[in-house]
């Protein structure tokens, strides 16, 4: 028999050990790396999938380096400019022409490569959450979640690498950070059991109860389709038209009309998974769970005026704050917490439907149990490669964590995969470096645009015998992700919400009742601003009718500001305030806060360098401010009165009373036109007025006291610390800053009901 005459399949040896070895040299063309056995394989083998005649491309990084533990090999390598193919170039500044004054030649391959790549540098921005900033970090498990979940990354002592991206929702990629908006808080946990994404927001409820309404709410919130304005704002007619008609949005709306809509920093935001998830422990017992992120720096916000001013002076305020804090070693931290609820068949708790994403479970009823700590300790190296290309997906789940039937979550499970196909240009986005799992991947997904894996084997299908039956599915004891056998209520097919989704006003009322007076005053002003920017009075009136169903005082306050009559409230239910919702009344660490130090270059404070270091020693960031740049007392000037603005500071220290700078020309600069005493730079007076108005602690000593007096600040005024030396004043200011603001300075009207009691 010739070697080409192998018409009969190899037959397994009688003892079942495998195929009978051929007696002659096999003909070329064998489909797999080894002959298949007759029966479907029942155990995985480590047989090679690559035939001896095959080789994958030699492993190289995208820049041609041999991969190594040194991650620099994925950046540029070599000292000389090259083409994308590695050929060295002598000139990249002139195109190839027919003579210096002649036309450009089509043969200029370098020109064409350079311009073609440039022409395709942009990808579509995210449909929502387009503007964001991210950081790498680590999640350390406390080991306290074992009773509710078998997720391995929550086992005692586990450390898991993470990547967290924060974002605004409405604005496009270039919009300002401090717009009034909800913030995204999405974390990718690269666990040993596969990637888990917790894709949440800084507000625990959502606008809508059903995913099918997402295009509606986003179309309403985005700029008007005709003029494409306003950018990154909800203060316009289409938004308020929608939310005043679609009243399930009212709970979310009051949260971001409150100070939560203008966070001081990503580092000072809570995060929420919003939906109820179903967790399983090692014994197969299930619980319903809400995820929370608790920032160790507390929850703090900007004032509305600050947010607007920052939008002009530093539109990258939050992005810069996150990166600077990490660079300075003030690593932001959050604790992951769980509210654990029984998995009863009704999926209700205390009358609250756990499948309704517009409702919270007050922490006073179900405490948040802390199960681990997130620390963000590295900034991305390349914004596009990491922050822009990261692709989150609520369906990235690990054993021990599963979804529920929340109709909003169910729709998200479809959407996040789908959107990446357009945004990241094909189905292989999971292979982009930032999206790669840190667990072994053995899928049967193949080909497609941007394929980077060099798969071996010939049988990406199951069952197969040509690749020895591989890959095998996991056995029952191998900690695989399992779809839980959850009972589905007997029902009919219909487009309808459950009755329990129909109360849209009790929880917004509870939120309002949980606020302190100063927070309530901010909410009234926010509604008044937003509705005041609407063109149509009918829309204002319709939203006032919604506010009347939340609280009569809220409604009256907004109506007065709008100059409209307040509709009468119906009988409203009594609600129990949840003090945990208020941001006022506690003290928190001051790490990572910015302290301005105003100096006089003509008479530098002798302690300036030591003061600077004392600020650094308590993990705050000193920013020296003077009429001109340069160095004062050995310390570099960070801002001049021309380049700086009060809104960058959390507190200000006056170490001198600088005379007006040469550029303090009122005719040229509105800041220099600020009223003040002739001896002091008017821009300093303006800075102090703003710090006062924004309720920031102010400290002064020595000649700095004169600057304070000039601005009308005297000892005994709330949050004004006039002392004898720099260090005692710094101590007093830092102590005050621990409360975030000098709350007594806000003259809030007194509201009757509620108020957080801490
Ligand atoms: Fe998203 N959402 N979303 N969302 N979402 C996206 O995915 C979507 C929802 C959230 O930093 C998109 O990759 C639908 C709730 C965050 O990359 C898109 C619905 C919550 C981020 C998408 C929701 C979120 C997104 C846009 C209604 C809080 C940014 C680009 C069912 C729990 C993630 C992308 C990042 C991003 C769809 C509702 C949070 C289009 C259809 C509720 C933090 O897929």
């Amino acid at each position: 028999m010739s070697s080409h005459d192998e018409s009969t399949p190899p037959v397994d040896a009688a003892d079942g050990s495998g195929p009978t070895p051929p007696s002659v040299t096999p003909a070329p063309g064998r489909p797999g790396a080894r002959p298949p056995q007759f029966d479907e394989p029942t155990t995985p083998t480590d047989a090679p999938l690559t035939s001896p005649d095959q080789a994958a491309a030699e492993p190289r990084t995208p820049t041609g380096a041999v991969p190594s533990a040194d991650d620099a090999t994925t950046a540029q390598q070599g000292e000389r400019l090259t083409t994308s193919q590695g050929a060295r170039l002598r000139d990249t500044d002139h195109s190839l022409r027919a003579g210096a004054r002649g036309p450009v030649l089509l043969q200029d391959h370098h020109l064409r490569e350079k311009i073609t790549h440039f022409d395709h540098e942009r990808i579509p921005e995210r449909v929502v959450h387009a503007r964001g900033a991210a950081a790498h970090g680590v999640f350390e498990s406390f080991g306290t979640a074992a009773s509710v979940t078998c997720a391995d990354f929550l086992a005692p002592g586990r450390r898991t690498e993470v990547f967290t991206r924060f974002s605004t929702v409405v604005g496009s990629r270039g919009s300002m950070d401090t717009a009034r908006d909800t913030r995204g808080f999405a974390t990718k946990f690269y666990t040993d059991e596969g990637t888990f994404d917790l894709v949440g927001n800084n507000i625990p409820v959502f606008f809508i109860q059903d995913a099918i309404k997402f295009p509606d709410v986003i179309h309403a919130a985005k700029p008007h389709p005709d003029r494409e304005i306003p950018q990154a704002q909800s203060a316009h007619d289409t938004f308020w038209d929608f939310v005043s008609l679609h009243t399930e949005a009212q709970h979310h709306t009051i949260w971001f009309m409150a100070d939560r809509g203008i966070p001081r920093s990503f580092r000072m935001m809570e995060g929420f998974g919003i939906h109820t998830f179903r967790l399983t422990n090692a014994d197969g017992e299930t619980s319903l769970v809400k995820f929370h992120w608790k920032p160790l720096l507390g929850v703090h916000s900007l004032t509305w005026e600050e947010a607007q001013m920052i939008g002009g002076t530093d539109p990258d305020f939050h992005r810069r704050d996150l990166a600077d804090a990490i660079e300075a070693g003030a690593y932001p931290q959050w604790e992951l917490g769980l509210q654990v609820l029984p998995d009863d068949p009704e999926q209700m708790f205390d009358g609250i439907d756990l499948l309704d994403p517009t409702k919270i479970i007050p922490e006073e009823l179900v405490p948040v149990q802390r199960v681990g700590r997130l620390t963000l300790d590295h900034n991305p190296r390349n914004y596009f490669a990491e922050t822009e290309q990261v692709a989150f997906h609520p369906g990235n789940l690990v054993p021990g964590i599963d979804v529920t039937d929340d109709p909003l979550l169910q729709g998200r499970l479809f959407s996040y995969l789908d959107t990446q196909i357009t945004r990241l240009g094909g189905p292989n986005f999971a292979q982009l470096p930032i999206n790669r799992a840190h667990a072994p991947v053995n899928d049967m997904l193949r080909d497609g645009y941007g394929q980077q894996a060099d798969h071996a084997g010939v049988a990406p299908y199951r069952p197969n015998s040509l690749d020895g039956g591989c890959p095998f599915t996991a056995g029952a004891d191998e900690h695989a992700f399992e779809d839980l056998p959850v009972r589905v209520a007997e029902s009919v097919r219909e487009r309808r919400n459950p009755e329990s989704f129909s109360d849209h006003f009790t929880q917004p009322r509870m939120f309002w009742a949980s606020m302190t007076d100063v927070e309530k005053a901010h909410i009234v002003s926010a509604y008044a601003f937003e509705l005041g920017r609407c063109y149509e009075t009918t829309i204002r009136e319709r939203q006032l009718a919604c506010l009347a169903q939340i609280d009569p005082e809220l409604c009256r306050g907004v109506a007065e500001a709008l100059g409209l009559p307040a509709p009468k409230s119906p009988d409203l239910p009594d609600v129990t305030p949840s003090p945990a919702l208020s941001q006022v009344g506690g003290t928190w660490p001051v790490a990572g806060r910015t302290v301005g130090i105003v100096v006089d270059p003509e008479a530098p404070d002798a302690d300036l360098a030591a003061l600077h270091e004392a600020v650094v020693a308590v993990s705050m960031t000193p920013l020296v401010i003077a009429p001109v740049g340069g160095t004062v007392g050995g310390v570099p000037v960070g801002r001049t009165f021309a380049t700086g603005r009060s809104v960058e500071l959390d507190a200000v220290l006056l170490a001198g009373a600088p005379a007006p700078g040469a550029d303090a020309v009122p005719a040229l600069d509105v800041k220099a036109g600020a009223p003040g005493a002739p001896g002091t730079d008017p821009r300093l007076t303006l800075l102090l007025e703003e710090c006062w108005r924004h309720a920031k602690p102010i400290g002064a000593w020595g000649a700095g006291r004169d600057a304070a007096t000039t601005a009308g600040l005297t000892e005994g005024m709330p949050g004004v610390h006039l002392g004898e030396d720099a260090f005692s004043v710094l101590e007093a200011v830092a102590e005050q800053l621990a409360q975030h603001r000098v709350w007594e300075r806000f003259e809030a009207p007194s509201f009757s009901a509620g108020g957080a009691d801490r």
Side-chain angles (χ1 to χ4, degrees):
M1 191 164 63
S2 93
S3 64
H4 291 261
D5 201 15
E6 273 197 318
S7 48
T8 47
V11 177
D12 281 8
D15 63 2
S17 61
T20 312
S23 53
V24 292
T25 307
R30 167 156 285 146
R34 61 175 207 157
Q37 64 186 59
F38 185 80
D39 294 325
E40 185 185 342
T42 51
T43 49
T45 61
D46 52 8
L49 295 176
T50 304
S51 298
D53 61 301
Q54 295 176 333
E58 190 179 294
R60 293 282 165 170
T61 70
T63 58
V66 177
S68 75
D70 175 7
D71 73 344
T73 57
T74 55
Q76 293 85 343
Q77 56 152 346
E79 292 177 350
R80 296 288 181 258
L81 178 72
T82 71
T83 64
S84 68
Q85 305 301 314
R88 288 184 177 182
L89 289 163
R90 293 268 295 151
D91 183 339
T92 189
D93 302 329
H94 306 93
S95 46
L96 193 64
R97 290 172 227 158
R101 296 168 61 74
V104 173
L105 301 178
L106 186 61
Q107 76 178 71
D108 187 348
H109 60 93
H110 174 47
L111 166 74
R112 277 186 287 119
E113 179 184 86
K114 188 172 175 181
I115 298 285
T116 304
H117 194 278
F118 169 77
D119 287 346
H120 298 272
E121 275 178 9
R122 296 288 165 266
I123 60 172
E125 66 175 32
R126 288 167 172 81
V127 186
V128 283
H129 297 266
R131 179 162 181 87
H136 297 274
V138 63
F139 178 79
E140 294 160 289
S141 166
F142 297 157
T144 46
S147 59
V148 282
T149 179
C150 59
D152 183 70
F153 79 100
L154 289 171
R158 291 284 189 278
R159 284 170 61 88
T160 304
E161 286 178 32
V162 298
F163 189 68
T164 297
R165 181 175 182 271
F166 305 100
S167 47
T168 49
V169 178
V170 176
S172 58
R173 255 195 73 179
S175 57
M176 69 174 181
D177 278 346
T178 56
R180 183 179 289 284
D181 198 353
T182 306
R183 300 297 186 286
F185 189 142
T187 301
K188 197 173 267 303
F189 297 76
Y190 303 94
T191 92
D192 292 346
E193 296 184 327
T195 301
F196 169 55
D197 287 350
L198 186 52
V199 198
N201 281 345
N202 76 328
I203 289 179
V205 288
F206 206 62
F207 283 108
I208 48 171
Q209 294 166 318
D210 186 324
I212 202 167
K213 295 303 294 173
F214 198 55
D216 299 85
V217 64
I218 297 303
H219 290 171
K222 285 276 185 181
H224 290 208
D226 48 359
R227 301 181 180 194
E228 219 206 8
I229 51 175
Q231 175 60 250
Q233 284 194 43
S234 51
H236 57 103
D237 289 77
T238 55
F239 177 77
W240 288 100
D241 183 33
F242 176 80
V243 299
S244 59
L245 290 169
H246 192 72
T247 52
E248 71 196 39
Q250 291 290 325
H251 192 193
H252 184 103
T253 308
I254 195 170
W255 274 79
F256 89 94
M257 288 303 109
D259 292 343
R260 305 260 177 169
I262 40 173
R264 157 65 181 82
S265 158
F266 293 139
R267 299 177 289 141
M268 299 166 205
M269 301 187 321
E270 284 179 312
F272 304 91
I274 300 191
H275 316 281
T276 303
F277 289 79
R278 180 173 277 106
L279 269 49
T280 324
N281 68 14
D283 298 327
E285 294 158 341
T286 59
S287 316
L288 298 179
V289 163
K290 297 265 188 192
F291 287 105
H292 294 245
W293 287 114
K294 295 285 185 186
L296 297 196
L297 296 179
V299 186
H300 304 300
S301 295
L302 298 168
T303 68
W304 176 233
E305 190 185 54
E306 278 180 297
Q308 290 175 295
M309 288 166 67
I310 294 169
T313 51
D314 186 8
D316 306 302
F317 185 71
H318 286 150
R319 187 179 280 200
R320 188 189 311 284
D321 171 277
L322 179 68
D324 282 356
I326 292 173
E327 187 186 332
Y331 300 141
Q333 292 188 310
W334 290 259
E335 285 180 349
L336 181 65
L338 307 179
Q339 278 183 303
V340 181
L341 303 140
D343 189 0
D344 71 68
E346 300 306 317
Q347 300 172 83
M348 302 280 289
F349 181 83
D350 202 32
I352 301 167
D353 192 332
L354 298 175
L355 300 187
D356 178 354
T358 65
K359 303 290 188 301
I360 61 164
I361 310 295
E363 290 183 31
E364 291 76 13
L365 293 183
V366 181
V368 176
Q369 303 173 35
R370 316 280 173 124
V371 298
R373 185 188 305 113
L374 165 70
T375 306
L376 297 181
D377 54 9
H378 282 90
N379 285 312
R381 183 168 66 185
N382 183 279
Y383 183 90
F384 184 86
E386 299 162 67
T387 310
E388 193 61 13
Q389 294 202 114
V390 67
F392 292 96
H393 175 29
N396 288 348
L397 298 161
V398 288
I401 304 180
D402 203 352
V403 297
T404 58
D405 296 337
D406 171 344
L408 186 65
L409 177 56
Q410 296 272 317
R412 295 179 75 199
L413 293 173
F414 164 76
S415 181
Y416 287 71
L417 277 185
D418 179 52
T419 197
Q420 314 303 353
I421 311 282
T422 305
R423 191 173 79 81
L424 297 171
N428 289 314
F429 52 85
Q431 295 178 6
L432 292 167
I434 193 67
N435 296 327
R436 289 179 191 164
H438 293 197
V441 173
N442 194 355
D443 57 28
M444 291 191 294
L445 313 177
R446 291 294 183 271
D447 307 348
Y449 282 114
Q451 178 61 254
Q452 293 169 58
D454 201 339
H455 294 108
V458 293
Y461 55 82
R462 276 180 49 81
N464 76 64
S465 67
L466 284 172
D467 282 348
C470 296
F472 276 69
T473 52
D477 55 351
E478 290 181 304
H479 224 216
F481 183 85
E482 289 190 60
D483 296 290
L484 298 170
V486 178
R487 195 179 68 89
V488 178
E490 194 180 320
S491 53
V492 293
R493 200 183 67 164
E494 58 187 335
R495 292 185 186 273
R496 188 169 70 86
N497 272 347
E499 279 309 310
S500 50
F501 279 29
S502 59
D503 175 2
H504 301 164
F505 293 106
T506 306
Q507 286 218 342
R509 179 164 173 70
M510 177 184 73
F511 182 83
W512 168 258
S514 305
M515 297 290 108
T516 55
D517 283 347
V518 64
E519 292 169 293
K520 286 181 173 174
H522 290 174
I523 293 173
V524 169
S525 322
Y527 276 113
F529 176 86
E530 297 260 324
L531 294 169
R533 302 283 294 186
C534 291
Y535 184 92
E536 298 291 353
T537 305
T538 315
I539 289 173
R540 293 190 192 126
E541 288 169 342
R542 197 193 299 137
Q543 177 58 27
L544 285 175
C546 291
L547 296 184
Q549 298 194 62
I550 297 175
D551 186 87
E553 280 183 305
L554 165 64
C555 181
R556 199 160 41 245
V558 179
E560 268 172 21
L562 294 174
L564 290 171
K568 195 168 155 17
S569 290
D571 282 343
L572 296 173
D574 285 339
V575 287
T576 309
S578 167
L581 302 182
S582 167
Q583 295 179 218
V584 177
T587 56
W588 293 273
V590 291
R593 295 306 191 98
T594 303
V595 177
I597 308 175
V598 175
V599 298
D600 180 358
E602 302 302 321
D605 187 287
D607 289 330
L608 184 59
L611 173 69
H612 187 276
E613 290 315 289
V615 174
V616 173
V618 287
S619 292
M620 294 198 289
T621 305
L623 191 62
V624 171
I625 306 167
V628 287
T631 303
V632 176
V635 181
V637 173
R639 294 280 185 278
T640 66
F641 290 137
T643 61
R645 194 87 208 212
S646 69
V647 287
E648 289 179 272
L649 314 176
D650 290 296
V652 63
L653 301 175
L654 300 170
D663 59 344
V665 184
L668 298 180
D669 180 358
V670 69
K671 285 202 263 176
T680 310
D681 196 301
R683 296 165 299 179
L684 173 57
T685 315
L686 178 67
L687 181 141
L688 292 173
E689 274 175 9
E690 287 170 357
C691 285
W692 169 266
R693 203 161 63 243
H694 301 148
K696 293 172 178 170
I698 300 168
W701 62 94
R705 298 177 67 136
D706 300 337
T709 313
T710 305
L713 303 170
T714 52
E715 186 66 51
M717 294 170 83
V720 176
H721 305 278
L722 306 183
E724 295 311 314
D725 70 287
F727 304 100
S728 60
V729 170
L730 170 63
E731 200 179 329
V733 163
E735 196 180 318
Q736 181 111 51
L737 193 53
Q739 298 169 30
H740 180 53
R741 297 219 183 248
V742 186
W743 294 109
E744 327 63 301
R745 273 201 219 141
F746 287 116
E747 284 176 21
S750 176
F751 294 90
S752 56
D757 180 19
R758 275 211 227 190

